[in-house]
């Protein structure tokens, strides 16, 4: 292996991909899942990331620096890091399930040996 940064791959077609490193705030831990969300009510898909990993050996310590990360799509294959507006996601998230609750886009975050958590993204009325 010669590339260790957290990154996304953009499919350019014909089996060609561009590697886009994530912002530095998304390099602080390992992520286990991501989901496409529309967090800021524009037409560009944003990314919700979650993870952490506590079961490392004693010399490496825990990977626990993520409390929920949102990457806002700025267009042109550029993403800007955003927190979750004061919401803190603690623990080891293993899966994100996008769903709709009462007409609002939401995500169910399932954690390892912990309670699940629901995040809702409210659509602004025009």
């Amino acid at each position: 292996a010669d590339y260790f940064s957290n990154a996304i791959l953009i499919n350019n077609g014909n089996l060609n991909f561009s590697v886009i490193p994530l912002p530095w705030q998304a390099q602080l831990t390992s992520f286990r899942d991501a989901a496409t969300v529309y967090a800021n009510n524009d037409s560009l898909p944003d990314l919700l990331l979650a993870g952490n990993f506590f079961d490392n050996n004693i010399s490496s310590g825990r990977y626990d620096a993520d409390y929920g990360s949102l990457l806002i799509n700025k267009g042109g294959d550029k993403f800007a890091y955003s927190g979750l507006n004061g919401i803190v996601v603690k623990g080891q998230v293993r899966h994100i399930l996008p769903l709709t609750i009462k007409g609002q886009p939401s995500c169910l975050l399932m954690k390892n040996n912990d309670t699940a958590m629901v995040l809702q993204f409210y659509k602004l009325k025009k």
Side-chain angles (χ1 to χ4, degrees):
D2 61 2
Y3 191 88
F4 294 99
S5 296
N6 290 328
I8 59 172
L9 300 173
I10 304 294
N11 186 348
N12 300 318
N14 297 324
L15 297 175
N16 292 310
F17 294 86
S18 298
V19 178
I20 310 294
L22 299 181
W24 73 265
Q25 299 95 327
Q27 301 295 337
L28 302 176
T29 192
S30 60
F31 292 101
R32 296 294 185 234
D33 205 1
T36 301
V37 298
Y38 290 86
N40 58 350
N41 294 302
D42 63 11
S43 63
L44 300 173
D46 306 307
L47 295 173
L48 174 65
L49 304 173
N52 292 329
F53 186 70
F54 295 174
D55 300 329
N56 289 344
N57 64 43
I58 197 161
S59 64
S60 296
R62 296 176 6 159
Y63 298 142
D64 62 356
D66 182 61
Y67 296 107
S69 295
L70 187 60
L71 299 181
I72 302 296
N73 190 336
K74 297 296 186 181
D77 300 337
K78 297 191 183 334
F79 290 85
Y81 174 85
S82 175
L84 295 175
N85 199 23
I87 296 171
V88 176
V89 180
K90 291 187 179 182
Q92 302 179 88
V93 176
R94 292 295 171 259
H95 188 63
I96 302 171
L97 177 65
L99 45 89
T100 301
I101 299 173
K102 295 184 179 179
Q104 297 297 332
S106 308
C107 287
L108 176 64
L109 282 65
M110 289 156 277
K111 301 179 194 177
N112 189 36
N113 296 321
D114 202 346
T115 57
M117 182 176 193
V118 174
L119 298 178
Q120 286 191 289
F121 298 90
Y122 290 96
K123 293 180 184 176
L124 298 176
K125 294 182 182 179
K126 294 180 180 181

